[in-house]
Coordinates of all heavy atoms in Angstrom, one line a residue:
S1 N -103.5 -14.1 -34.3 CA -102.8 -14.2 -33.2 C -102.6 -15.5 -32.5 O -101.8 -15.7 -31.7 CB -103.4 -13.2 -32.2 OG -104.7 -13.7 -31.8
S2 N -103.4 -16.4 -33.2 CA -103.1 -17.8 -32.6 C -102.2 -18.7 -33.4 O -102.0 -19.9 -33.1 CB -104.6 -18.5 -32.4 OG -105.1 -18.6 -33.6
W3 N -101.8 -18.2 -34.4 CA -100.8 -18.8 -35.4 C -99.5 -19.0 -34.8 O -99.0 -18.1 -34.1 CB -100.7 -18.2 -36.8 CG -101.9 -18.2 -37.6 CD1 -103.0 -18.9 -37.5 CD2 -102.1 -17.5 -38.9 NE1 -103.9 -18.6 -38.4 CE2 -103.4 -17.9 -39.3 CE3 -101.3 -16.6 -39.5 CZ2 -103.9 -17.2 -40.4 CZ3 -101.9 -16.1 -40.7 CH2 -103.1 -16.4 -41.1
S4 N -98.8 -20.1 -35.0 CA -97.4 -20.2 -34.5 C -96.5 -19.5 -35.6 O -97.0 -19.2 -36.8 CB -96.9 -21.6 -34.5 OG -96.9 -22.3 -35.8
F5 N -95.2 -19.1 -35.3 CA -94.5 -18.5 -36.3 C -94.1 -19.4 -37.5 O -94.1 -19.0 -38.7 CB -93.1 -18.2 -35.7 CG -93.1 -17.0 -34.8 CD1 -92.8 -17.2 -33.5 CD2 -93.4 -15.8 -35.2 CE1 -92.9 -16.1 -32.6 CE2 -93.4 -14.7 -34.5 CZ -93.3 -14.8 -33.0
Y6 N -94.1 -20.7 -37.2 CA -94.0 -21.6 -38.4 C -95.2 -21.7 -39.3 O -95.1 -21.6 -40.5 CB -93.8 -23.1 -37.8 CG -93.7 -24.2 -39.0 CD1 -92.4 -24.4 -39.7 CD2 -94.8 -25.0 -39.4 CE1 -92.4 -25.2 -40.7 CE2 -94.8 -25.9 -40.4 CZ -93.5 -25.9 -41.0 OH -93.4 -27.0 -42.0
Q7 N -96.5 -21.7 -38.7 CA -97.6 -21.5 -39.5 C -97.6 -20.2 -40.3 O -98.0 -20.2 -41.6 CB -98.9 -21.6 -38.8 CG -99.1 -22.9 -38.2 CD -100.3 -22.9 -37.2 OE1 -100.4 -22.1 -36.2 NE2 -101.3 -23.8 -37.4
L8 N -97.3 -19.1 -39.8 CA -97.3 -17.8 -40.5 C -96.2 -17.8 -41.7 O -96.5 -17.4 -42.7 CB -97.0 -16.7 -39.4 CG -96.9 -15.3 -40.0 CD1 -98.1 -14.9 -40.6 CD2 -96.5 -14.3 -39.0
R9 N -95.1 -18.3 -41.3 CA -94.0 -18.4 -42.4 C -94.4 -19.2 -43.5 O -94.3 -18.9 -44.7 CB -92.8 -19.0 -41.7 CG -91.7 -19.2 -42.7 CD -90.4 -19.9 -42.1 NE -89.7 -20.5 -43.0 CZ -88.6 -21.3 -42.7 NH1 -88.2 -21.4 -41.5 NH2 -87.9 -21.9 -43.7
K10 N -95.2 -20.4 -43.3 CA -95.7 -21.3 -44.4 C -96.7 -20.5 -45.2 O -96.7 -20.7 -46.5 CB -96.1 -22.6 -43.8 CG -94.9 -23.5 -43.3 CD -94.0 -23.7 -44.5 CE -92.7 -24.5 -44.1 NZ -91.8 -24.6 -45.2
F11 N -97.6 -19.8 -44.5 CA -98.7 -19.0 -45.3 C -98.0 -17.9 -46.1 O -98.3 -17.9 -47.1 CB -99.5 -18.5 -44.1 CG -100.7 -17.7 -44.8 CD1 -101.7 -18.4 -45.5 CD2 -100.8 -16.4 -44.8 CE1 -102.8 -17.6 -46.1 CE2 -101.9 -15.6 -45.3 CZ -102.6 -16.3 -46.0
I12 N -97.0 -17.2 -45.5 CA -96.4 -16.1 -46.3 C -95.5 -16.8 -47.5 O -95.8 -16.3 -48.7 CB -95.4 -15.4 -45.4 CG1 -96.2 -14.5 -44.4 CG2 -94.5 -14.4 -46.3 CD1 -95.5 -13.9 -43.4
E13 N -95.0 -18.0 -47.2 CA -94.2 -18.6 -48.3 C -95.1 -19.1 -49.5 O -94.8 -18.9 -50.6 CB -93.3 -19.8 -47.9 CG -92.1 -19.3 -47.1 CD -91.4 -20.5 -46.5 OE1 -91.9 -21.6 -46.3 OE2 -90.2 -20.3 -46.1
Y14 N -96.2 -19.6 -49.1 CA -97.4 -20.1 -50.0 C -97.7 -19.0 -50.9 O -97.8 -19.0 -52.1 CB -98.4 -20.7 -49.3 CG -99.7 -21.0 -50.1 CD1 -99.7 -22.1 -51.0 CD2 -100.8 -20.3 -49.9 CE1 -100.7 -22.3 -51.7 CE2 -101.9 -20.5 -50.6 CZ -102.0 -21.6 -51.5 OH -103.0 -21.9 -52.2
K15 N -98.2 -17.8 -50.2 CA -98.8 -16.7 -50.9 C -97.8 -15.9 -51.7 O -97.9 -15.6 -52.9 CB -99.4 -15.6 -50.0 CG -100.6 -16.1 -49.2 CD -101.7 -16.2 -50.2 CE -103.0 -16.4 -49.6 NZ -104.3 -16.5 -50.4
A16 N -96.5 -15.9 -51.3 CA -95.5 -15.3 -52.0 C -95.1 -16.1 -53.3 O -94.9 -15.6 -54.3 CB -94.2 -15.1 -51.2
A17 N -95.1 -17.4 -53.3 CA -95.0 -18.3 -54.4 C -96.0 -18.1 -55.5 O -95.7 -17.9 -56.7 CB -94.9 -19.7 -53.9
I18 N -97.2 -17.9 -55.0 CA -98.3 -17.7 -56.0 C -98.1 -16.3 -56.7 O -98.2 -16.4 -58.0 CB -99.7 -17.7 -55.2 CG1 -100.0 -19.1 -54.7 CG2 -100.7 -17.1 -56.1 CD1 -101.2 -19.3 -53.9
A19 N -97.7 -15.4 -55.9 CA -97.5 -14.0 -56.6 C -96.0 -13.9 -57.2 O -95.7 -12.8 -57.8 CB -97.6 -12.9 -55.5
G20 N -95.3 -15.0 -57.1 CA -93.9 -14.8 -57.7 C -92.9 -13.9 -57.0 O -92.0 -13.4 -57.5
V21 N -93.2 -13.7 -55.7 CA -92.3 -12.9 -54.8 C -91.4 -13.8 -54.1 O -91.8 -14.7 -53.4 CB -93.3 -12.1 -53.9 CG1 -92.4 -11.2 -52.9 CG2 -94.2 -11.2 -54.7
P22 N -90.0 -13.4 -54.1 CA -89.1 -14.3 -53.3 C -89.2 -14.0 -51.7 O -89.6 -12.8 -51.4 CB -87.8 -13.9 -53.8 CG -87.9 -12.5 -54.3 CD -89.4 -12.6 -54.9
V23 N -89.0 -15.1 -51.0 CA -89.0 -14.9 -49.5 C -87.6 -15.0 -49.0 O -87.0 -16.1 -49.4 CB -89.9 -15.8 -48.9 CG1 -89.8 -15.8 -47.3 CG2 -91.5 -15.7 -49.3
V24 N -87.0 -14.2 -48.2 CA -85.8 -14.2 -47.8 C -85.9 -14.3 -46.2 O -86.5 -13.6 -45.6 CB -85.0 -12.9 -48.1 CG1 -83.5 -12.9 -47.6 CG2 -84.9 -12.8 -49.6
L25 N -85.2 -15.2 -45.6 CA -85.3 -15.5 -44.2 C -84.1 -14.7 -43.6 O -82.9 -14.8 -44.0 CB -85.1 -17.1 -43.8 CG -86.3 -17.8 -44.4 CD1 -86.0 -19.3 -44.2 CD2 -87.6 -17.4 -44.0
V26 N -84.3 -14.0 -42.5 CA -83.4 -13.2 -41.8 C -83.5 -13.6 -40.3 O -84.6 -13.7 -39.6 CB -83.7 -11.7 -41.9 CG1 -82.8 -10.9 -41.0 CG2 -83.5 -11.2 -43.4
H27 N -82.4 -13.9 -39.7 CA -82.3 -14.3 -38.2 C -82.6 -13.0 -37.5 O -82.0 -12.0 -37.7 CB -80.9 -14.8 -37.8 CG -81.0 -15.5 -36.5 ND1 -81.1 -14.8 -35.4 CD2 -81.0 -16.7 -36.1 CE1 -81.1 -15.6 -34.3 NE2 -81.1 -16.9 -34.8
P28 N -83.6 -12.9 -36.6 CA -83.9 -11.7 -35.8 C -83.0 -11.3 -34.8 O -83.3 -10.1 -34.2 CB -85.3 -12.1 -35.3 CG -85.3 -13.5 -35.2 CD -84.4 -14.0 -36.2
K29 N -82.1 -12.1 -34.3 CA -81.2 -11.7 -33.3 C -80.6 -10.3 -33.3 O -80.0 -10.0 -34.3 CB -80.2 -12.7 -33.0 CG -79.3 -12.6 -31.9 CD -78.3 -13.6 -31.6 CE -77.5 -13.4 -30.2 NZ -76.6 -14.3 -30.1
N30 N -80.9 -9.5 -32.3 CA -80.4 -8.2 -32.2 C -80.8 -7.3 -33.2 O -80.3 -6.2 -33.3 CB -78.9 -8.3 -32.2 CG -78.2 -8.8 -30.8 OD1 -78.8 -8.7 -29.8 ND2 -77.2 -9.6 -31.0
T31 N -81.8 -7.5 -33.9 CA -82.3 -6.5 -34.9 C -82.8 -5.3 -34.4 O -82.7 -4.2 -35.0 CB -83.4 -7.1 -35.9 OG1 -84.3 -7.7 -35.1 CG2 -82.8 -8.4 -36.7
S32 N -83.3 -5.3 -33.1 CA -83.8 -4.0 -32.5 C -82.9 -3.5 -31.3 O -83.1 -2.6 -30.7 CB -85.3 -4.3 -31.8 OG -85.1 -5.2 -30.7
R33 N -81.6 -4.2 -31.4 CA -80.6 -3.7 -30.5 C -79.4 -3.0 -31.4 O -78.5 -2.6 -30.8 CB -80.1 -4.7 -29.6 CG -81.2 -5.3 -28.6 CD -80.7 -6.4 -27.7 NE -81.6 -6.8 -26.7 CZ -81.3 -7.8 -26.0 NH1 -80.1 -8.4 -26.0 NH2 -82.1 -8.1 -25.0
T34 N -79.5 -3.2 -32.6 CA -78.3 -2.8 -33.5 C -78.6 -1.4 -34.1 O -79.8 -1.2 -34.7 CB -78.1 -3.9 -34.6 OG1 -77.8 -5.1 -34.0 CG2 -77.0 -3.3 -35.4
C35 N -77.7 -0.5 -34.1 CA -78.0 0.8 -34.5 C -77.9 0.8 -36.1 O -76.8 0.3 -36.7 CB -77.0 1.9 -34.1 SG -77.2 3.5 -34.8
P36 N -78.8 1.3 -36.9 CA -78.8 1.2 -38.3 C -77.7 2.2 -38.8 O -77.5 2.2 -40.1 CB -80.1 1.5 -38.7 CG -80.9 2.2 -37.8 CD -80.2 1.7 -36.5
V37 N -77.4 3.2 -38.1 CA -76.5 4.3 -38.5 C -75.0 3.8 -38.2 O -74.1 4.0 -39.3 CB -76.7 5.6 -37.8 CG1 -75.8 6.6 -38.1 CG2 -78.2 6.1 -38.2
C38 N -74.6 3.5 -37.1 CA -73.3 3.2 -36.8 C -73.0 1.7 -36.5 O -71.8 1.3 -36.4 CB -72.9 4.0 -35.6 SG -73.3 3.4 -33.9
G39 N -74.0 0.9 -36.3 CA -73.7 -0.6 -36.1 C -73.4 -1.0 -34.8 O -73.3 -2.3 -34.6
H40 N -73.5 0.0 -33.8 CA -73.3 -0.6 -32.4 C -74.3 -1.4 -32.0 O -75.6 -1.0 -32.1 CB -73.2 0.8 -31.6 CG -73.1 0.5 -30.1 ND1 -71.9 0.1 -29.6 CD2 -73.9 0.7 -29.1 CE1 -72.0 -0.1 -28.2 NE2 -73.3 0.4 -27.9
V41 N -74.1 -2.5 -31.2 CA -75.1 -3.4 -30.8 C -74.9 -3.5 -29.3 O -73.9 -3.7 -28.6 CB -74.8 -4.8 -31.1 CG1 -75.8 -5.8 -30.7 CG2 -74.8 -4.9 -32.7
A42 N -76.1 -3.1 -28.5 CA -76.1 -3.2 -27.1 C -77.5 -3.2 -26.6 O -78.4 -2.6 -27.1 CB -75.5 -1.9 -26.5
K43 N -77.7 -4.0 -25.5 CA -79.0 -4.1 -24.8 C -79.5 -2.7 -24.4 O -80.6 -2.4 -24.5 CB -78.9 -5.1 -23.7 CG -80.3 -5.4 -23.0 CD -80.0 -6.4 -21.9 CE -81.4 -6.6 -21.2 NZ -81.3 -7.6 -20.2
E44 N -78.5 -1.9 -23.9 CA -78.8 -0.6 -23.5 C -79.4 0.4 -24.6 O -79.8 1.4 -24.3 CB -77.6 0.0 -22.7 CG -77.0 -0.7 -21.6 CD -76.4 -2.0 -21.9 OE1 -75.8 -2.1 -23.0 OE2 -76.4 -2.9 -21.1
N45 N -79.3 -0.1 -25.8 CA -79.8 0.8 -27.0 C -81.4 0.9 -26.9 O -81.9 1.6 -27.6 CB -79.4 0.3 -28.2 CG -77.9 0.7 -28.6 OD1 -77.3 1.5 -27.9 ND2 -77.4 0.0 -29.5
R46 N -81.9 -0.1 -26.1 CA -83.4 -0.3 -26.0 C -83.8 0.1 -24.5 O -84.0 -0.6 -23.6 CB -83.9 -1.7 -26.3 CG -83.8 -2.2 -27.7 CD -85.0 -1.6 -28.5 NE -86.3 -1.9 -28.0 CZ -86.9 -3.1 -28.2 NH1 -86.3 -4.0 -28.9 NH2 -88.2 -3.3 -27.8
P47 N -83.8 1.5 -24.3 CA -84.2 1.9 -22.9 C -85.6 1.4 -22.4 O -85.8 1.4 -21.3 CB -84.0 3.4 -23.0 CG -84.2 3.7 -24.4 CD -83.6 2.7 -25.0
S48 N -86.5 1.2 -23.4 CA -87.8 0.9 -23.2 C -88.2 -0.2 -24.3 O -87.6 -0.2 -25.4 CB -88.7 1.9 -23.1 OG -89.1 2.5 -24.4
R49 N -89.4 -0.7 -24.2 CA -89.9 -1.7 -25.2 C -90.0 -1.0 -26.5 O -90.0 -1.6 -27.6 CB -91.2 -2.2 -24.7 CG -91.8 -3.3 -25.7 CD -93.1 -3.8 -25.1 NE -93.7 -4.9 -26.0 CZ -94.7 -4.8 -26.8 NH1 -95.3 -3.5 -26.7 NH2 -95.1 -5.6 -27.5
D50 N -90.4 0.3 -26.6 CA -90.8 1.0 -27.7 C -89.8 1.9 -28.3 O -89.9 2.4 -29.4 CB -92.1 1.8 -27.5 CG -93.3 0.9 -27.2 OD1 -93.4 -0.3 -27.7 OD2 -94.2 1.3 -26.4
Q51 N -88.7 2.2 -27.5 CA -87.8 3.3 -27.9 C -86.4 2.6 -28.2 O -86.0 1.6 -27.5 CB -87.6 4.3 -26.9 CG -88.9 5.1 -26.4 CD -88.6 6.0 -25.4 OE1 -87.8 5.8 -24.5 NE2 -89.4 7.0 -25.3
F52 N -85.7 3.2 -29.2 CA -84.4 2.8 -29.5 C -83.5 4.2 -29.4 O -83.9 5.2 -30.0 CB -84.3 2.2 -30.9 CG -82.7 2.0 -31.2 CD1 -82.3 0.8 -31.1 CD2 -82.0 3.0 -31.9 CE1 -81.0 0.5 -31.4 CE2 -80.7 2.8 -32.2 CZ -80.1 1.6 -32.1
C53 N -82.4 4.1 -28.7 CA -81.5 5.2 -28.6 C -80.0 4.6 -28.5 O -79.6 4.1 -27.5 CB -81.7 6.1 -27.4 SG -80.6 7.6 -27.4
C54 N -79.3 4.8 -29.6 CA -78.0 4.4 -29.7 C -77.1 4.9 -28.6 O -76.9 6.2 -28.7 CB -77.3 4.5 -31.0 SG -75.7 3.8 -31.2
R55 N -76.4 4.1 -27.8 CA -75.4 4.7 -26.8 C -74.1 5.2 -27.4 O -73.5 6.0 -26.8 CB -75.1 3.7 -25.9 CG -76.3 3.2 -25.1 CD -76.9 4.4 -24.2 NE -78.1 3.9 -23.5 CZ -79.3 4.5 -23.3 NH1 -79.4 5.6 -24.0 NH2 -80.2 4.0 -22.8
A56 N -73.9 4.8 -28.7 CA -72.6 5.2 -29.3 C -72.6 6.5 -30.1 O -72.0 7.4 -30.0 CB -72.1 4.0 -30.2
C57 N -73.8 6.6 -30.9 CA -73.9 7.9 -31.9 C -75.1 8.8 -31.5 O -75.1 9.8 -32.1 CB -73.9 7.4 -33.2 SG -75.5 6.6 -33.8
G58 N -76.0 8.3 -30.6 CA -77.1 9.1 -30.2 C -78.3 9.0 -31.1 O -79.4 9.6 -31.0
Y59 N -78.3 8.0 -32.3 CA -79.4 8.0 -33.1 C -80.6 7.4 -32.2 O -80.5 6.4 -31.5 CB -79.1 7.0 -34.2 CG -80.4 6.6 -35.1 CD1 -80.7 7.6 -36.2 CD2 -81.0 5.4 -35.1 CE1 -81.8 7.3 -36.9 CE2 -82.0 5.2 -35.8 CZ -82.5 6.1 -36.8 OH -83.5 5.8 -37.5
A60 N -81.8 8.0 -32.5 CA -83.1 7.5 -31.9 C -84.2 7.5 -32.8 O -84.3 8.2 -33.7 CB -83.3 8.6 -30.7
A61 N -85.0 6.3 -32.5 CA -86.2 6.1 -33.5 C -87.0 5.1 -32.7 O -86.6 4.4 -31.7 CB -85.8 5.5 -34.7
P62 N -88.3 4.9 -33.1 CA -89.0 3.8 -32.7 C -88.3 2.5 -32.9 O -87.8 2.2 -33.9 CB -90.4 3.9 -33.4 CG -90.3 5.2 -33.9 CD -89.0 5.6 -34.1
A63 N -88.3 1.6 -31.9 CA -87.6 0.1 -31.8 C -88.0 -0.6 -33.0 O -87.2 -1.3 -33.6 CB -87.7 -0.5 -30.5
D64 N -89.4 -0.6 -33.3 CA -89.8 -1.5 -34.4 C -89.3 -1.0 -35.8 O -89.0 -1.7 -36.6 CB -91.4 -1.5 -34.4 CG -92.0 -2.3 -33.2 OD1 -91.3 -3.0 -32.6 OD2 -93.2 -2.1 -33.0
N65 N -89.2 0.3 -35.8 CA -88.8 0.9 -37.1 C -87.2 0.5 -37.3 O -86.7 0.2 -38.4 CB -88.8 2.4 -37.1 CG -90.2 2.9 -37.1 OD1 -91.1 2.2 -36.9 ND2 -90.5 4.2 -37.6
V66 N -86.4 0.5 -36.3 CA -85.1 0.3 -36.2 C -84.9 -1.3 -36.7 O -84.1 -1.6 -37.6 CB -84.4 0.5 -34.9 CG1 -83.0 -0.1 -34.8 CG2 -84.2 2.0 -34.8
A67 N -85.7 -2.1 -36.1 CA -85.7 -3.6 -36.3 C -85.9 -3.9 -37.7 O -85.4 -4.7 -38.5 CB -86.6 -4.3 -35.3
A68 N -87.2 -3.2 -38.2 CA -87.6 -3.4 -39.6 C -86.5 -3.0 -40.6 O -86.2 -3.6 -41.6 CB -88.7 -2.7 -39.9
E69 N -85.8 -1.8 -40.3 CA -84.6 -1.5 -41.1 C -83.5 -2.4 -41.3 O -83.0 -2.7 -42.2 CB -84.1 0.0 -40.8 CG -82.9 0.4 -41.6 CD -83.2 0.6 -43.1 OE1 -84.3 0.6 -43.6 OE2 -82.2 0.7 -43.7
N70 N -83.1 -2.8 -40.1 CA -82.1 -3.9 -40.0 C -82.4 -5.2 -40.6 O -81.6 -5.8 -41.2 CB -81.8 -4.1 -38.6 CG -80.9 -2.9 -37.8 OD1 -80.1 -2.2 -38.5 ND2 -81.1 -2.7 -36.5
I71 N -83.7 -5.6 -40.5 CA -84.1 -6.9 -41.2 C -84.1 -6.6 -42.8 O -83.6 -7.5 -43.5 CB -85.4 -7.3 -40.8 CG1 -85.4 -7.8 -39.3 CG2 -86.1 -8.2 -41.7 CD1 -86.7 -8.0 -38.6
R72 N -84.4 -5.4 -43.2 CA -84.5 -5.1 -44.6 C -83.0 -5.2 -45.2 O -82.7 -5.8 -46.1 CB -85.2 -3.7 -44.9 CG -85.1 -3.4 -46.3 CD -85.5 -1.9 -46.7 NE -84.1 -1.1 -46.2 CZ -83.0 -0.9 -46.9 NH1 -83.0 -1.6 -48.1 NH2 -82.1 -0.2 -46.6
R73 N -82.2 -4.5 -44.3 CA -80.7 -4.5 -44.9 C -80.1 -5.9 -44.9 O -79.4 -6.3 -45.9 CB -79.9 -3.6 -43.8 CG -80.2 -2.2 -44.2 CD -79.3 -1.3 -43.3 NE -79.5 0.2 -43.4 CZ -78.9 1.1 -42.8 NH1 -78.1 0.8 -41.9 NH2 -79.3 2.3 -43.0
A74 N -80.4 -6.8 -43.9 CA -79.9 -8.1 -43.9 C -80.5 -8.9 -45.0 O -79.6 -9.6 -45.6 CB -80.2 -8.7 -42.5
A75 N -81.7 -8.7 -45.4 CA -82.3 -9.4 -46.4 C -81.6 -9.0 -47.8 O -81.3 -9.9 -48.6 CB -83.8 -9.3 -46.6
V76 N -81.4 -7.8 -48.0 CA -80.9 -7.2 -49.2 C -79.4 -7.6 -49.4 O -78.9 -7.9 -50.5 CB -81.0 -5.7 -49.3 CG1 -80.2 -5.0 -50.4 CG2 -82.6 -5.4 -49.3
N77 N -78.6 -7.7 -48.3 CA -77.2 -8.0 -48.2 C -76.9 -9.5 -48.4 O -75.7 -9.9 -48.4 CB -76.6 -7.3 -47.1 CG -76.5 -5.8 -47.3 OD1 -76.5 -5.3 -48.4 ND2 -76.7 -5.0 -46.3
Q78 N -78.0 -10.3 -48.2 CA -77.7 -11.7 -48.2 C -77.2 -12.1 -49.5 O -77.9 -11.9 -50.6 CB -79.0 -12.6 -47.9 CG -79.2 -12.9 -46.3 CD -80.3 -13.8 -46.1 OE1 -80.9 -14.4 -46.9 NE2 -80.7 -13.8 -44.9
P79 N -76.2 -13.0 -49.6 CA -75.8 -13.7 -50.9 C -76.9 -14.6 -51.4 O -77.6 -15.3 -50.8 CB -74.6 -14.4 -50.5 CG -74.2 -14.1 -49.2 CD -75.4 -13.6 -48.5
N80 N -77.2 -14.4 -52.7 CA -78.3 -15.2 -53.3 C -79.7 -15.0 -52.8 O -80.5 -15.8 -52.7 CB -77.9 -16.6 -53.5 CG -76.6 -16.9 -54.2 OD1 -76.4 -16.4 -55.1 ND2 -75.8 -17.7 -53.6
A81 N -80.0 -13.7 -52.2 CA -81.2 -13.4 -51.6 C -82.4 -13.8 -52.6 O -83.4 -14.3 -52.1 CB -81.4 -12.0 -51.3
A82 N -82.2 -13.5 -53.8 CA -83.5 -13.7 -54.6 C -83.6 -15.2 -54.9 O -84.8 -15.7 -55.3 CB -83.2 -13.1 -56.1
A83 N -82.6 -16.1 -54.6 CA -82.7 -17.6 -54.9 C -83.5 -18.1 -53.8 O -83.9 -19.3 -53.8 CB -81.4 -18.2 -55.1
N84 N -83.6 -17.6 -52.6 CA -84.3 -18.2 -51.4 C -85.7 -18.3 -51.6 O -86.5 -17.8 -51.7 CB -83.9 -17.4 -50.1 CG -82.5 -17.7 -49.7 OD1 -81.8 -18.6 -50.2 ND2 -82.0 -16.9 -48.8

């Protein structure tokens, strides 16, 4: 909990390189405000810190799960993701 994000990133990159696992960087902006079903982005999609409920399509899930799915999709869809 005392590590900076930079330190954590460098540690993950180091360990991933040893294991031969590629690391793909994804910008976190709006990852927990974007609906993984319809793509609607709104601050109002997060009625609380822990909850996500899309105002456009009604999809609801824990906010952390929504962010993780959006990050996964962004990483998979990045051009040359395996080269990073």
Side-chain angles (χ1 to χ4, degrees):
S1 65
S2 63
W3 291 348
S4 69
F5 286 113
Y6 179 79
Q7 287 174 306
L8 178 60
R9 176 178 155 188
K10 289 300 175 187
F11 180 72
I12 290 170
E13 288 173 342
Y14 168 77
K15 291 291 191 176
I18 291 172
V21 177
V23 174
V24 179
L25 302 178
V26 173
H27 195 286
K29 184 176 182 180
N30 290 326
T31 55
S32 64
R33 294 179 177 180
T34 302
C35 180
V37 174
C38 73
H40 177 71
V41 181
K43 185 176 182 178
E44 295 76 26
N45 286 348
R46 290 280 305 274
S48 73
R49 181 175 183 259
D50 298 329
Q51 297 176 334
F52 176 92
C53 184
C54 181
R55 298 297 182 227
C57 73
Y59 175 76
D64 287 346
N65 293 17
V66 169
E69 175 60 19
N70 287 329
I71 290 169
R72 184 196 68 79
R73 285 183 183 180
V76 169
N77 292 328
Q78 270 188 14
N80 303 315
N84 288 339

